[in-house]
Amino acid sequence: METEEGVRVLTDLIRRKGFAFVDGTPYDDPEHTKRLLERIAFIRVTHYGGFYDFTADLAMADTAYTNIALPAHTDTTYFDDPAGLQVFHMLSHEPDATSKDPNALGGESLLVDGFNAALELKRTSTWAYKILTEVPLPWHASGNKGIAITPERTYPVFETAPGNKALLRIRWNNDDRGVVPFHSGCSPVDWYDAARKWNALLEDKRLQYWEQLKPGRTLIFDNWRVLHGRSAFTGKRRICGGYINRNDFMSRWRTLNRTPEEVNRVVIG
């Protein structure tokens, strides 16, 4: 990661596969992980702060600050421009005094390729895919004092590019979702039927990838494409990481993985 070639390979892996691991990240000080993020681009600041370093202490009114299981979801659905990349590095995981088996602490991380799951939904339930693409929903972050964030407009679960209708971005987090509206194309009942189809795919073990994070192995993934979650855990777990803007990630990837002529064609059009 000290070389531009290393960052080129890393950003290309994330761009093509949706996620990547960086092994050998020092974990004696979270500053090492922070510097790793900054090799890609600057860290995005939100109401949670910038670079985060936390335990399950309920310091924020968010399920991430608990030890409960979290289903597959995307982060920052309540921003018009959700975070592009998300980074997790588990610095430590210590059993509590009552634990009988220090090797059974739990907390495995879940990843689901949302684009793959969405295309599977489109193939098997075209009507459900259409509903989740066309019905805009309200999203919000309002659990912390003085915070009431909501996008300037409503957005569907699946956002597609104009013209070719290719999948651009997925928003999915039931803890951030507002009331399902009545829509000219469907009722809330229709939407929930479609959402159940979608959720069943996210829970399909064939589409899930589980990995037990460990100190020294940093996980970086595309928050527009890859949904993440975790199993419940015991003991005290310390996680650090942060967000990176999508445009800044894409700029870094493009300038390292494309020729100047190719970059110019993208910029000029």
Side-chain angles (χ1 to χ4, degrees):
M1 293 299 97
E2 297 297 329
T3 68
E4 291 294 88
E5 173 59 17
V7 179
R8 185 197 69 76
V9 172
L10 172 63
T11 55
D12 194 51
L13 273 174
I14 299 169
R15 175 64 174 154
R16 290 186 295 107
K17 303 293 187 180
F19 72 100
F21 292 107
V22 180
D23 289 317
T25 309
Y27 53 91
D28 60 314
D29 188 330
E31 183 67 23
H32 298 294
T33 310
K34 181 174 181 287
R35 292 211 311 269
L36 168 62
L37 271 67
E38 291 172 339
R39 290 289 290 135
I40 300 174
F42 68 87
I43 296 170
R44 177 170 177 172
V45 176
T46 71
H47 55 296
Y48 295 111
F51 183 77
Y52 47 72
D53 177 4
F54 69 95
T55 60
D57 58 1
L58 288 176
M60 302 290 286
D62 190 281
T63 51
Y65 291 77
T66 69
N67 63 355
I68 64 174
L70 300 179
H73 64 282
T74 59
D75 269 23
T76 61
T77 60
Y78 37 76
F79 291 137
D80 286 285
D81 176 28
L85 298 185
Q86 185 163 6
V87 179
F88 289 131
H89 183 197
M90 189 179 78
L91 299 176
S92 62
H93 193 171
E94 303 169 355
D96 56 35
T98 61
S99 177
K100 296 181 180 180
D101 184 0
N103 296 315
L105 296 173
E108 293 86 359
S109 290
L110 165 67
L111 298 176
V112 177
D113 186 340
F115 284 8
N116 179 49
L119 292 175
E120 177 72 7
L121 181 68
K122 186 177 183 180
R123 185 182 67 81
T124 58
S125 301
T126 305
W127 63 270
Y129 180 88
K130 184 173 185 291
I131 287 174
L132 297 182
T133 302
E134 294 181 353
V135 178
L137 303 169
W139 307 89
H140 69 94
S142 54
N144 295 284
K145 184 178 180 180
I147 301 298
I149 302 172
T150 188
E152 291 299 311
R153 65 181 182 87
T154 53
Y155 292 92
V157 174
F158 303 147
E159 294 176 63
T160 56
N164 62 13
K165 299 297 182 181
L167 269 173
L168 176 66
R169 180 164 58 201
I170 292 176
R171 292 175 193 258
W172 183 254
N173 191 332
N174 275 318
D175 293 331
D176 299 337
R177 178 175 54 77
V179 177
V180 178
F182 284 91
H183 184 267
S184 60
C186 73
S187 72
V189 173
D190 297 327
W191 187 91
Y192 277 108
D193 284 344
R196 273 190 286 271
K197 291 278 189 183
W198 166 241
N199 194 66
L201 284 171
L202 298 181
E203 293 180 346
D204 188 331
K205 294 187 183 302
R206 296 177 303 115
L207 304 185
Q208 295 181 335
Y209 175 78
W210 289 89
E211 174 83 11
Q212 179 64 68
L213 297 183
K214 58 185 179 182
R217 188 166 220 215
T218 301
L219 168 63
I220 308 176
F221 59 91
D222 181 347
N223 183 58
W224 283 23
R225 169 183 171 182
V226 176
L227 295 87
H228 67 285
R230 69 164 185 240
S231 63
F233 65 90
T234 60
K236 184 177 181 180
R237 192 170 82 149
R238 183 182 176 191
I239 295 280
C240 70
Y243 297 126
I244 292 175
N245 285 326
R246 169 73 172 194
N247 294 113
D248 298 299
F249 161 64
M250 288 299 294
S251 171
R252 190 77 161 115
W253 168 79
R254 190 175 291 118
T255 55
L256 290 175
N257 288 277
R258 293 293 181 263
T259 66
E261 292 75 21
E262 289 172 324
V263 173
N264 286 339
R265 281 198 293 272
V266 171
V267 173
I268 297 171

